[in-house]
Structure formats: C-alpha cells, structure tokens
Amino acid sequence: METKTGSQATWCKQLSTLTKRSFVNMSRDVGYYWLRIITYIAVSISVGSIFFNVGTSYSVILARGSCGGFISSSMIFMSIGGFPSFIEEMKGVMMMTAGFFRFLTDLLKPFWRYPMSYINYMAWALQGEYKNDMIGLEFDPLQPGDPKLKGKVIINTVLGISLDHSKWWDLTVVIVILIVYRLLFFTILKFKERASPVFRTIYTKRTLHHLIKRPSFRKTPPFPSQRHQVMHSLSSQEGLNSPIH
C-alpha cells in the first residue's frame, strides 16, 4: 500500500491559485460571465429609468417598496448560480419570509417568524433598503391639508418594519449570515470528505458479507461444475459408434 500525502502548498497558496483559476475559467465563458454583466447593466438601467424622479407623493410609497423588493429578488435570482443546489430550491421560501408578501410581524412565530425570517439574509437586506431609502423623507398626505407623513412612520406602519435598529445593523447581519453560510458549506464539504471513505468501507463489507452467503461463493459447490469436465469423443463412448465407420 502506498501512503498518499496531501498538498505541500499552504492554504493561502491553494486559495489564491484556485481563485485565479476559477476567475480565468469564468472570464472565458461568454454566457456565464460577460452576458451576465450585460444583463446586470440592462436591469440597472431599466430600474433606474422606471423609478427615476419618483417623488414623494402618497401614491409612490408602495412604488418605493416595490423597487426595493424587485432589486433584492433580482439580485438573488441572478446570483443563485454561485450557491449550492438546495439554496436554489429554497429561494420561493426566502422570498415568502423576506417581507414582500406579508409583514414580518404577521408571520407565524413557531417556524416562519422564528427562525426562518431571522436566518434569511434577504429579509435583513430588504429592511436595510427601506430604511436607507425612506428615513429622512416626508411624503404628501392622503388628504390635502393633513400633515406630511415621515418616512419612519411609513416604514413602521405601512411596511411593518421595526425601527429598533439602524440600517448599518441590517448590513452587518447580512454580512455575518453570508460568512456563516460559507463556513457551514465548508464544514459540510470537510465532513463529506472524511465520512465518504467510512461509508464506502461499510458498504463494501456489507456487500461482501451478502455475497459470501451465496452458493456460488462457497468452497464446495453442491454439484460438479460442467466447465472442468473432460470431453470424450462419441466413438470412444460405450454403445456409440462413429457414423463414419
């Protein structure tokens, strides 16, 4: 048996080499890299032109919320190729618990509110976008002559978002969640790397154990094998003559 040793390169060297190699491979792929950049630019121009100079009237309050929701959802759908497959399947779940369709305070607390909306980085990103856009603005009232509506009131009452923390806290939580996801994926890969040989060994032993119990694998077969019998000509067998004679 030969003893296999790991790579002699340091962890930083391996990371830099693989990152450079991945960047080169992606940059050579027109559909994956350059076409995606063009799509990002086209989406940015479209969103900017549609919501350009949207104003602060009462009717554009929901329009601003729709803009933030569209940007968050489009960024997830466009970058989903860099995530594992099970995250791609969990994106209809991320959107439902992010605050697009129901307020975070209205979600069922046993599961959807705690912990799904808290581990959903999309929910924190959306809250930060709303705060960054509306805090400091004043919107026209529904009825002329009424006092203007402050952005904080809109965020708290219309969009159902708490103002207990600032947008910078939302950004920090998003970064922390992404780092935790990366570490979790790394741990899963390491566990799979170490556990795969163990599972293969167990499977091999179980397979051999079942094969040994079969009659074809016994030392003494129950009947003589026909493959190793000596063949005799018809003329040498008793009672049989060759048709030539």
Side-chain angles (χ1 to χ4, degrees):
M1 297 180 61
E2 297 181 357
T3 303
K4 295 183 178 180
T5 58
S7 176
Q8 301 299 324
T10 61
W11 183 84
C12 294
K13 181 63 176 179
Q14 295 180 31
L15 178 62
S16 60
T17 303
L18 293 177
T19 302
K20 181 180 179 180
R21 186 182 302 173
S22 177
F23 178 77
V24 172
N25 292 334
M26 289 189 300
S27 61
R28 292 176 178 175
D29 192 343
V30 177
Y32 180 83
Y33 190 81
W34 298 107
L35 185 59
R36 182 164 297 189
I37 292 179
I38 295 175
T39 304
Y40 276 131
I41 296 175
V43 170
S44 301
I45 295 175
S46 301
V47 174
S49 59
I50 291 174
F51 294 95
F52 175 73
N53 197 18
V54 68
T56 57
S57 63
Y58 184 84
S59 60
V60 302
I61 294 176
L62 294 180
R64 288 178 175 269
S66 301
C67 178
F70 175 78
I71 292 175
S72 300
S73 60
S74 63
M75 291 296 292
I76 284 185
F77 283 122
M78 291 297 294
S79 62
I80 205 68
F83 290 90
S85 58
F86 73 94
I87 294 294
E88 184 176 359
E89 301 300 330
M90 289 179 61
K91 59 180 178 288
V93 178
M94 290 185 178
M95 293 187 65
M96 287 191 298
T97 58
F100 293 129
F101 308 104
R102 294 206 65 184
F103 294 154
L104 296 178
T105 54
D106 295 337
L107 294 176
L108 296 178
K109 292 184 178 180
F111 180 73
W112 296 114
R113 177 61 172 160
Y114 312 108
M116 289 303 299
S117 65
Y118 277 80
I119 63 176
N120 184 2
Y121 64 91
M122 193 173 181
W124 296 95
L126 187 61
Q127 295 180 63
E129 289 182 5
Y130 288 157
K131 295 174 184 177
N132 182 70
D133 184 29
M134 297 187 180
I135 290 180
L137 296 179
E138 291 185 350
F139 296 90
D140 296 335
L142 180 61
Q143 298 294 336
D146 293 341
K148 289 190 175 183
L149 301 175
K150 293 185 177 181
K152 291 184 178 181
V153 177
I154 298 298
I155 293 174
N156 194 10
T157 58
V158 178
L159 300 177
I161 295 177
S162 175
L163 294 173
D164 296 337
H165 53 273
S166 64
K167 62 181 180 181
W168 301 111
W169 175 256
D170 294 322
L171 179 60
T172 303
V173 174
V174 170
I175 297 175
V176 171
I177 290 178
L178 295 179
I179 294 176
V180 171
Y181 279 174
R182 289 294 181 180
L183 294 177
L184 180 60
F185 297 153
F186 178 76
T187 304
I188 293 175
L189 291 177
K190 283 298 181 180
F191 175 77
K192 182 180 179 181
E193 180 182 347
R194 294 179 180 272
S196 294
V198 178
F199 288 124
R200 285 198 298 265
T201 302
I202 296 175
Y203 176 77
T204 303
K205 290 182 179 180
R206 290 176 60 88
T207 303
L208 291 177
H209 179 71
H210 288 294
L211 290 176
I212 290 175
K213 291 183 178 181
R214 294 183 180 181
S216 59
F217 279 81
R218 296 177 182 175
K219 293 183 178 180
T220 306
F223 50 86
S225 176
Q226 299 293 333
R227 296 172 57 189
H228 302 289
Q229 290 185 355
V230 180
M231 303 301 294
H232 301 281
S233 62
L234 292 176
S235 59
S236 61
Q237 299 182 21
E238 184 179 357
L240 296 177
N241 296 323
S242 173
I244 300 178
H245 302 291

